[in-house]
Amino acid sequence: MHLTRDEERVLAGEYGEAMAEALTVIVRVGEALGAERLISIKHAHISGVSYDNIGEPGRRFIERLYVAGAKFSVPTTFNPVSYDLEEPSSIPSLKLDPNYVRAQESIVRALAAMGAELELTCTPYYAGVTVKHGLSKGDSIAWGESSAVAYANSVLGLKTNREGGPLALMAAIAGRTYYYGMHIDGERKPRIAYYVESPNPLDEAEAGVLGEIIASMHSDERPPMVKAKFSGDPSIREFLAAVGTASDIPMVHIEGVTPEDPGTGVREVVKITYEEVRGKLESMAPEGPVDIIYIGCPHASLEELEHLAKTLEKLGKPRTPIIVSTSRSVYTKLLAAGLAPKLKNLGVTIARDTCLIVSPYTKHNKNVKIATNSYKAYHYLKRKGAKAYLTKIHEHLQTNP
Amino acid sequence: MSFRGRPVVSGDVEGFVLRVESISFYGDVDPESGRLYDGRSVSGRVIVAEKSRGSTVGPYVLYALRERGLAPKAILLVSRSDPVLVAGAVLSSVVLVDSLPRGALEVLRDNVLVRVYRDGGVVIV
C-alpha cells in the first residue's frame, strides 16, 4: 500500500503508540482487501459497544486503547448500549447485575474519554450528526453498524464501507480508513436492478421482507438497484436494515431516493412480485395475540413517533403494551414537543440509549411474545431465543385494539 | 482433491470442515461457548460458507472466541470477503481464504478434513 510521509510517521509512533496501533490494523485490513492507499474521514460511528454483545474481551479491547492514550481524531459517535443510561429500568423486566452495569459503564467512560459524543444510537443521522459536523454528499466516513452504513450510502450519499466495530474504532483514532469499495465512485454503480410492483407503498414490515429477499438473491459485488414504492423514511430505514442483516451489502441504489447518478451499467432486471413479499411476511406473522409490540430497531425518528402518537390518539390506548427504542437526542425533542408524557399515557414505554437486541432483555424473557415492524429485530430476537414475529404494526394496532 | 482461493489472511492450518450457508459471527455464534445456534461448535474448525453477512459486531465475537481459545482455525468463502469479516480475521489471526470456486461447496462438506495453505490452496486430506 502507498503511504504518505505523514502516515509513515504515524506508523513509526511519532503520534503515540495508540495511533500507530490503530493505523497498523487499518493498513493490514486495507492490504488484505487490496486497497492502494488510505483516505481521510470526516466522522466515525462505532458499533459493538454493548457489554451484552462484546463481553469481557470486547471491554478489555476498548479499555486498553484508552489506557494506551488513544484519542479520537475525528467527531465520533457510537451505538446503543445494554441499558438505558438515563433510566435503567425503562425496559420492563430487564434484570441488571451490578457487575454488568459497572462493565458497561466502563466501556462508555472509555469511549467518552477518547472523545466520543454520547448519542448512543444506531441512527446517528436522526441525532443531527450530519448537520453538526457538516457531512455532505460524497464525504468519506467510517461507520460500523450495518444499518447506518446502508442508510449513509443509500440515502445520505455519504461514503462508507461496513467497517465493523473494532475497525470503526481504529478509524476514529487514526482519522483515516483504507480507500476501497464504497469510497470509490465506480464501485457504487449498480449492475443488477430489482423491480417490485405493489398495490400500496411498502410499509416497514414489507420493506424489511423485501430487504431479505434482495439480500439473499443478490450476489454481484456492486450494490443492487431497487425500484419500489416505500411508505416513508421508516420503511426505507427498515429495508436497508434488513439488507444489512441478511447480507454484507453496504449500499442499495434506491431509485428516487439515492442522491447520485446510478450510471448506465444496469444489465439485468429482476422482477419481484408483491405476492412473494406478502407470503414471506405471513410466514413470520403472529397467530393470535402477542405480549408486547416493539418499534424502533433501528432507533425511531421523531416523525415516526409523532405519527405513532397520532395513530394511538385515534385508536385509544392499546391492550398490548408498546416498547419503543430511540436516541436520547430524539427523546429530548419528544419532551420539547410535549409528546413523551402523551405517549406514556397511551401505553408506550420509551427506552433511550439501548434496544431489545443489545440489552440482556431476551435472557430473562424467552417466553414473551414480541411483535415488531422491524425485520432486523425479528431476526436477532429469534436468534437470541425469543418468540418474535414480524407484523404490519399499524394494521396490527387497528385489528387488536 | 484441491481448490485455490484468494488468501486474505494467510496461514497454514488443518482442520475439520464446519459447513454453514452464510456466516454472521454476531447472532450465529455464542461468544462464550463458541457454539452455533444449532449447537455445533466452531472451535478449531474450518468454517466453509458461501458468504458472510450481517452485523458489524461480528469482529468482537471472533476476537472473544480467540481470547477464550475457542476460535475457528480458518474461514473459507466462495464470495469475496466483506471488510467486517476481514477486520475480524486480522484482529483474531484467523486464516481467511475467499473467492473459492463454487464447486468447492459440493465437496467441502461437514467433517471433511482439509489442509489450508498460505497461498490460498485448500486440499482435502
Side-chain angles (χ1 to χ4, degrees):
Chain A
M1 183 184 288
H2 173 78
L3 297 172
T4 65
R5 265 193 212 152
D6 194 44
E7 285 157 2
E8 275 168 4
R9 278 198 289 270
V10 172
L11 290 178
E14 283 184 33
Y15 295 81
E17 182 197 325
M19 184 109 161
E21 186 191 333
L23 200 64
T24 303
V25 173
I26 291 167
V27 169
R28 280 190 65 198
V29 172
E31 281 181 338
L33 288 162
E36 287 166 14
R37 61 181 175 94
L38 302 172
I39 48 158
S40 298
I41 53 163
K42 280 193 155 178
H43 187 268
H45 180 79
I46 301 166
S47 57
V49 295
S50 152
Y51 186 61
D52 205 64
N53 282 349
I54 65 175
E56 271 306 291
R59 183 190 66 76
R60 282 199 298 271
F61 185 93
I62 294 170
E63 285 224 315
R64 193 181 50 76
L65 287 166
Y66 160 60
V67 172
K71 287 273 176 218
F72 296 147
S73 22
V74 291
T76 300
T77 48
F78 59 90
N79 251 10
V81 294
S82 54
Y83 60 92
D84 181 336
L85 293 184
E86 305 276 329
E87 198 185 332
S89 59
S90 67
I91 295 181
S93 61
L94 187 66
K95 288 185 191 145
L96 292 169
D97 179 76
N99 288 328
Y100 187 99
V101 169
R102 266 195 292 278
Q104 181 65 74
E105 277 177 351
S106 74
I107 294 171
V108 173
R109 236 189 339 261
L111 291 166
M114 287 188 275
E117 292 170 6
L118 296 182
E119 295 290 357
L120 300 109
T121 183
C122 44
T123 56
Y125 43 89
Y126 292 151
V129 302
T130 51
V131 176
K132 189 172 173 191
H133 300 300
L135 307 179
S136 56
K137 190 178 161 268
D139 285 342
S140 280
I141 55 175
W143 284 9
E145 177 46 39
S146 59
S147 67
V149 166
Y151 196 94
N153 283 313
S154 315
V155 179
L156 306 174
L158 295 167
K159 296 173 165 178
T160 175
N161 290 313
R162 290 159 41 91
E163 297 282 10
L167 215 61
L169 180 61
M170 299 301 186
I173 296 167
R176 296 170 174 87
T177 190
Y178 47 89
Y179 183 66
Y180 172 84
M182 289 299 102
H183 296 289
I184 304 169
D185 285 333
E187 298 286 322
R188 298 166 68 90
K189 307 281 184 209
R191 291 188 289 215
I192 301 176
Y194 299 85
Y195 287 5
V196 192
E197 280 188 19
S198 55
N200 297 303
L202 302 172
D203 81 342
E204 304 94 73
E206 292 165 334
V209 170
L210 177 66
E212 190 215 53
I213 293 172
I214 291 173
S216 58
M217 288 172 92
H218 190 73
S219 60
D220 191 37
E221 279 164 30
R222 296 275 190 82
M225 181 165 183
V226 168
K227 188 177 173 182
K229 280 181 291 187
F230 294 101
S231 62
D233 176 71
S235 302
I236 293 169
R237 182 194 69 219
E238 293 303 336
F239 167 72
L240 293 167
V243 169
T245 300
S247 74
D248 59 6
I249 298 169
M251 175 185 189
V252 182
H253 200 107
I254 307 173
E255 199 180 78
V257 173
T258 304
E260 60 193 70
D261 176 16
T264 54
V266 173
R267 57 175 193 217
E268 190 186 337
V269 173
V270 179
K271 292 213 164 129
I272 296 167
T273 65
Y274 176 70
E275 285 64 40
E276 191 180 342
V277 173
R278 186 79 218 195
K280 261 208 150 126
L281 178 57
E282 271 163 19
S283 72
M284 302 174 191
E287 284 171 23
V290 294
D291 301 311
I292 61 167
I293 290 171
Y294 175 50
I295 297 171
C297 168
H299 276 173
S301 67
L302 179 64
E303 294 72 23
E304 195 173 359
L305 295 176
E306 284 169 347
H307 181 61
L308 179 67
K310 266 187 208 145
T311 307
L312 293 177
E313 271 181 337
K314 249 184 266 163
L315 297 172
K317 184 176 171 174
R319 258 185 313 212
T320 318
I322 300 176
I323 298 178
V324 170
S325 49
T326 188
S327 62
R328 50 173 68 189
S329 171
V330 165
Y331 186 77
T332 305
K333 287 178 198 149
L334 273 181
L335 280 175
L339 277 175
K342 190 180 274 179
L343 281 163
K344 198 175 176 187
N345 290 335
L346 288 164
V348 180
T349 297
I350 302 171
R352 288 155 282 180
D353 305 343
T354 187
C355 71
L356 290 194
I357 320 294
V358 300
S359 75
Y361 179 82
T362 53
K363 281 200 182 108
H364 313 290
N365 296 282
K366 292 254 189 288
N367 290 315
V368 177
K369 288 186 176 172
I370 308 165
T372 178
N373 59 348
S374 158
Y375 172 86
K376 177 174 186 165
Y378 162 81
H379 175 87
Y380 286 117
L381 286 171
K382 276 191 85 117
R383 272 283 192 267
K384 292 187 156 211
K387 294 191 163 52
Y389 306 93
L390 186 62
T391 188
K392 292 168 72 74
I393 284 292
H394 287 271
E395 239 175 54
H396 185 94
L397 287 171
Q398 257 148 21
T399 50
N400 300 274
Chain B
M1 188 175 256
S2 66
F3 303 98
R4 175 62 63 88
R6 182 180 72 133
V8 181
V9 177
S10 301
D12 300 315
V13 290
E14 186 179 291
F16 290 97
V17 167
L18 179 80
R19 262 300 294 278
V20 288
E21 243 180 73
S22 63
I23 183 85
S24 164
F25 277 91
Y26 177 66
D28 288 2
V29 186
D30 176 7
E32 284 178 24
S33 68
R35 289 189 183 280
L36 282 170
Y37 47 87
D38 61 11
R40 292 183 293 165
S41 170
V42 301
S43 173
R45 303 294 290 261
V46 174
I47 298 175
V48 176
E50 189 192 342
K51 58 185 178 180
S52 65
R53 54 161 229 287
S55 171
T56 55
V57 179
Y60 277 122
V61 175
L62 201 49
Y63 181 75
L65 294 174
R66 162 64 66 211
E67 289 243 308
R68 293 187 172 117
L70 297 170
K73 281 191 175 156
I75 302 164
L76 312 181
L77 299 180
V78 167
S79 74
R80 276 176 88 88
S81 311
D82 169 37
V84 170
L85 187 66
V86 176
V90 164
L91 287 169
S92 319
S93 306
V94 171
V95 171
L96 174 61
V97 174
D98 71 7
S99 308
L100 281 166
R102 187 156 291 272
L105 289 178
E106 280 166 33
V107 192
L108 298 177
R109 294 183 188 281
D110 241 9
N111 299 320
V112 168
L113 184 62
V114 292
R115 203 169 285 156
V116 183
Y117 293 95
R118 58 184 61 241
D119 65 355
V122 179
V123 175
I124 295 176
V125 179

